[in-house]
Amino acid sequence: MNYLIFQPVVAFGFASPWLLMGLLAAGIPILIHLLHKRKFIETDWAAMKFLLMATKKYSRRFRIEQLLVLLVRCLILLLLAIAFSRPYWSVQGSLLESAGPVHRIIVIDSSFSMRWIEDEQPLFESARELALSLVSQSNPGDAFQLIQISDSSQQALISRPSRQQTFVLDEITRMQTTEEYGNVSQALQTALEFLDQSQELAQKEVIVISDFQAQSWSPSQTDQESARILSLIEAISKKSTLILKDIGLTDEANLAITDFSSKSVFASLNQPIRLEVTLHNFGVMNQENVNLQLFVDGKLVNQKTVDLTANADTQTEFTHQFTRVGDHRLEVRLAEDRLPLDNHRWKIMPVKKDINVLLINGRQSGKSMGRATDYLELALSPSLKEHPWQGIIKPHVINEGELANTELSLYDAVVICDVALFTANERDLLKRYVKRGGGLIISLGEQVNAENYNQTLFQPNVGLLPLKLLNRRGDAKKQAKYFEFDPLKYQHPAIELFKGNPDAGLETTHLYEYFQAEILPDPNTRLILNYDTNDPAIVESTLGRGKIILITTSLDRQWGTWAIWPSFPPMMNEFVLYAATGKWGARETLVGQPLEVVMLDNQLPLSPRMITPNQEEFPLRSVLDQNAETRTISFSQTFLSGIYELDWGTSTTEKTLYAVNVTPLESDLRHIGPQFIPPQYFRTQASTQNILTELSEDQTSQVGLSECLLFIVLALIVVEQLLLWRFPIGAFSFLAVLLLSCLSLFLLQ
């Protein structure tokens, strides 16, 4: 037997409560009545008794007629003000089905975790089918808006409420999963803003279809983002019926490559390089003998089996030797599972034959090894007649007076050795070089004029380094006291190779004199080495795209024995290679993040274009970067993971390659629990056939009253005229309108 159950009213409210100020208009008829009320002056005369008897007979009836007309006029204004404020009943399971249209905002998760394959189809397909069914089964007049949970891709797919069902179905059908992280807070904020549209539709619903992956819905990186998601959910639920449809799966294992890197930004020709790979087992079971492959330029060159511990990172590495100069495509690959997107990771490795280094000598000498650059040149290029130097670093020495006429862009790094003075023009030349990605190393010595350095090179906001040179410390001539390096626990990557290698002699180097320096506050500056006196020895800073290294002592034998110590050659090679890395810039980024390209002067006339992994081509335009004093290209359409090719448009210029990878955050398929989002917002996973039935049973609907009130106002206007014409007919009409109004409001509940 079927029972008809009436659910009581949950709430009564107004969609535009500020229009209730119009209720004050109801006092206008009363005010007019009072202003026009007659004032009588009593005067006794002979016929008064007869008039009083006649007046008393009809005065009570006349007063009742006036009060009823006044009441009707006040009701007309009162009901008009209430109707304009758009009142509504909030009911739970109405007695009669509401025929009013619904404003539905559908939010579909399109982040890459929705690519998880369940029952031979991705979760996203289930979400799309659910949304299509919801729109297909909707009533005529329902308005829809569509939002996708993505990151850099457009989230608002239907930004204005649409009542065209075919258009909405087409938009949902065209939706595709992205390879992006799911920015939940941004999508919910968009939905909250959409609720303020279509004010004429009092009944509103927000339906979110997602796998409710924990990293997206409850980010572990920041509590502030999690709190913002909860506050948005609460705000949406106050303005609408919020329905969360969970199509995700709990406790699903997933293997992913979370990092593919190398300590070196570039590789040397015919020299082995180590490639480090980090894998993560997002599961509760250990995985043994997992096959991992390395591809170089599309060819399988190495593979190994790896055992992956449950719920933990596993590090491994490959070693490869490149035999061709230029950019190389690297890919590490796991066997595909039910989320194949994170089983690949790409990297670009530029291979160099030569690193050209310019050494600027600040001290002339006719003696053997007497110049300021002699020991450094020998350390970088230890050539012998019998064995010419075959290394990657190629030093070239000039005197300090030749700096202004030298084309610095031909060199990967510049090293300044004991130069006495700098002009403002030379400083600007070096600044422009560093900002464009060049590496600069400045070493001090006997010739250095500290006052000139402070005013020219180290001037705040104008110079090269946020630093101030102070007095010299020690006496290299007397050599009464020596100083040693403090490696600061070998935290800097340029000196990491000395860690655990005491025979290299880094900590036993004897220095007799150096410049004290004061490092000004700057987030781009950090220490590489200290002296045992706690004074800065070697300082690194960044400027634009390049790196600067300051060495507060000399690179020869005048101020110490470092130039002939075992630690000197490897450290100078590491410093030069480290400083030179800025010239190549970042070659890897994540999906959705832009690729930044610095154009050289000889590339400005070219017409470059970017070729994406799906072979789509985008013509590029450069813009002037005032800070770096050069022209740059920013390409933001990195919506796919894989290799991007920058084609310069000439047959003689080799393509520049870039790698774009997915974020590992979406690889963690852990499900959020009810402790984060209140469970009353969730609906059990239902088939697409009964979604509207499920929603209508549980949702709170809003029934608008404005139309009903306007009909009552129209009836009262007619009643007023009837009261003025024939009071009995008008009074009967007023009672009928009152009865019908009460009945209609009761039925609307």
Side-chain angles (χ1 to χ4, degrees), residues 30-43:
I30 299 175
L31 181 62
I32 294 174
H33 174 75
L34 294 175
L35 290 175
H36 290 79
K37 186 176 181 181
R38 294 181 180 181
K39 297 182 179 180
F40 297 94
I41 300 175
E42 296 185 4
T43 304

Side-chain angles (χ1 to χ4, degrees), residues 165-204:
Q165 192 180 90
T166 303
F167 169 72
V168 177
L169 292 173
D170 289 343
E171 285 295 321
I172 296 175
T173 303
R174 283 196 293 266
M175 284 187 67
Q176 299 291 332
T177 49
T178 67
E179 298 186 8
E180 304 168 16
Y181 172 73
N183 193 333
V184 173
S185 62
Q186 184 177 326
L188 293 179
Q189 179 65 43
T190 304
L192 182 62
E193 294 171 358
F194 281 0
L195 285 174
D196 293 330
Q197 301 180 17
S198 294
Q199 292 291 340
E200 71 278 3
L201 300 180
Q203 186 172 337
K204 296 179 180 292

Side-chain angles (χ1 to χ4, degrees), residues 121 125-137 209 245 247 684-694:
Q121 75 171 5
E125 292 299 325
S126 301
R128 185 161 56 184
E129 290 176 5
L130 198 61
L132 290 171
S133 177
L134 175 63
V135 177
S136 300
Q137 299 175 31
I209 308 173
K245 294 293 295 181
I247 62 170
T684 57
Q685 185 173 351
S687 66
T688 59
Q689 301 299 323
N690 60 4
I691 179 172
L692 287 180
T693 303
E694 181 184 349

Side-chain angles (χ1 to χ4, degrees), residues 387-641:
H387 303 285
W389 173 241
Q390 301 295 324
I392 186 174
I393 297 178
K394 306 297 184 184
H396 176 69
V397 181
I398 64 172
N399 294 321
E400 56 182 317
E402 303 175 65
L403 173 60
N405 299 319
T406 302
E407 180 55 53
L408 298 183
S409 62
L410 301 177
Y411 299 93
D412 301 300
V414 174
V415 185
I416 296 171
C417 298
D418 200 10
V419 173
L421 301 169
F422 284 93
T423 65
N425 180 57
E426 291 171 333
R427 175 202 61 201
D428 294 340
L429 185 68
L430 292 171
K431 278 185 63 177
R432 192 177 304 110
Y433 168 74
V434 174
K435 284 184 175 182
R436 294 183 177 186
L440 176 64
I441 300 175
I442 303 173
S443 68
L444 306 181
E446 188 69 31
Q447 310 297 319
V448 169
N449 184 316
E451 183 178 356
N452 172 265
Y453 271 58
N454 289 334
Q455 292 180 353
T456 307
L457 294 187
F458 304 144
Q459 188 176 0
N461 303 322
V462 178
L464 292 164
L465 271 173
L467 182 142
K468 181 180 180 181
L469 292 184
L470 304 176
N471 299 323
R472 295 188 192 181
R473 185 165 185 176
D475 191 337
K477 295 179 180 179
K478 295 182 179 179
Q479 298 187 4
K481 181 181 180 180
Y482 64 84
F483 309 98
E484 295 181 338
F485 285 130
D486 175 6
L488 302 175
K489 299 181 180 179
Y490 302 94
Q491 295 180 356
H492 195 278
I495 60 171
E496 202 173 25
L497 77 161
F498 293 98
K499 188 175 183 179
N501 187 9
D503 294 335
L506 176 61
E507 297 181 62
T508 58
T509 302
H510 290 181
L511 301 163
Y512 300 108
E513 194 169 346
Y514 64 88
F515 270 98
Q516 292 180 297
E518 176 187 356
I519 302 176
L520 304 179
D522 188 286
N524 297 320
T525 302
R526 62 171 173 169
L527 278 170
I528 299 179
L529 288 177
N530 259 357
Y531 294 111
D532 54 6
T533 58
N534 207 33
D535 287 327
I538 303 177
V539 181
E540 179 210 353
S541 185
T542 58
L543 180 63
R545 301 178 184 276
K547 296 181 174 68
I548 304 171
I549 295 176
L550 173 68
I551 302 172
T552 60
T553 189
S554 66
L555 298 182
D556 54 20
R557 296 189 62 182
Q558 282 203 342
W559 282 9
T561 61
W562 189 25
I564 59 173
W565 218 247
S567 62
F568 186 73
M571 182 174 288
M572 288 300 102
N573 279 266
E574 288 298 317
F575 280 169
V576 166
L577 294 176
Y578 178 77
T581 57
K583 193 170 183 179
W584 288 277
R587 292 296 190 91
E588 288 99 30
T589 189
L590 296 178
V591 169
Q593 297 180 359
L595 292 171
E596 301 290 342
V597 182
V598 180
M599 297 189 70
L600 302 178
D601 292 339
N602 61 346
Q603 295 171 334
L604 295 179
L606 304 181
S607 301
R609 58 195 176 104
M610 187 69 77
I611 304 173
T612 63
N614 61 351
Q615 299 306 306
E616 190 174 358
E617 298 183 3
F618 293 87
L620 302 176
R621 293 182 60 186
S622 62
V623 296
L624 181 62
D625 186 345
Q626 297 289 351
N627 183 49
E629 300 178 13
T630 186
R631 299 196 70 85
T632 61
I633 295 172
S634 181
F635 181 74
S636 58
Q637 281 122 326
T638 55
F639 302 131
L640 300 176
S641 58

Side-chain angles (χ1 to χ4, degrees), residues 13-19 84-88 199-202 702 706:
F14 296 91
S16 302
W18 59 275
L19 287 176
F84 289 150
S85 65
R86 300 173 56 237
Y88 58 85
Q199 292 291 340
E200 71 278 3
L201 300 180
Q702 295 177 350
S706 295

Side-chain angles (χ1 to χ4, degrees), residues 114-280:
M114 293 288 286
R115 292 172 177 254
W116 176 266
I117 298 175
E118 180 67 20
D119 296 332
E120 298 184 355
Q121 75 171 5
L123 291 179
F124 180 78
E125 292 299 325
S126 301
R128 185 161 56 184
E129 290 176 5
L130 198 61
L132 290 171
S133 177
L134 175 63
V135 177
S136 300
Q137 299 175 31
S138 63
N139 296 322
D142 288 353
F144 288 91
Q145 289 177 276
L146 183 61
I147 300 171
Q148 69 173 350
I149 299 178
S150 59
D151 189 17
S152 56
S153 297
Q154 180 182 359
Q155 289 200 331
L157 302 182
I158 301 179
S159 57
R160 304 297 300 176
S162 175
R163 290 179 170 85
Q164 299 180 11
Q165 192 180 90
T166 303
F167 169 72
V168 177
L169 292 173
D170 289 343
E171 285 295 321
I172 296 175
T173 303
R174 283 196 293 266
M175 284 187 67
Q176 299 291 332
T177 49
T178 67
E179 298 186 8
E180 304 168 16
Y181 172 73
N183 193 333
V184 173
S185 62
Q186 184 177 326
L188 293 179
Q189 179 65 43
T190 304
L192 182 62
E193 294 171 358
F194 281 0
L195 285 174
D196 293 330
Q197 301 180 17
S198 294
Q199 292 291 340
E200 71 278 3
L201 300 180
Q203 186 172 337
K204 296 179 180 292
E205 297 172 357
V206 176
I207 303 169
V208 182
I209 308 173
S210 172
D211 61 352
F212 291 93
Q213 186 236 17
Q215 285 290 351
S216 294
W217 284 87
S218 179
S220 59
Q221 299 87 351
T222 168
D223 294 335
Q224 183 178 1
E225 186 68 10
S226 298
R228 183 166 183 259
I229 291 174
L230 283 177
S231 65
L232 287 170
I233 289 174
E234 183 178 357
I236 292 173
S237 65
K238 289 180 179 178
K239 288 189 172 184
S240 68
T241 301
L242 176 61
I243 300 113
L244 304 181
K245 294 293 295 181
D246 185 3
I247 62 170
L249 305 167
T250 58
D251 301 328
E252 288 296 334
N254 179 42
L255 302 182
I257 303 173
T258 58
D259 189 49
F260 182 27
S261 61
S262 172
K263 292 183 179 179
S264 177
V265 176
F266 56 86
S268 303
L269 189 66
N270 298 320
Q271 296 295 321
I273 187 172
R274 288 165 45 183
L275 305 169
E276 300 171 351
V277 184
T278 302
L279 305 100
H280 194 96

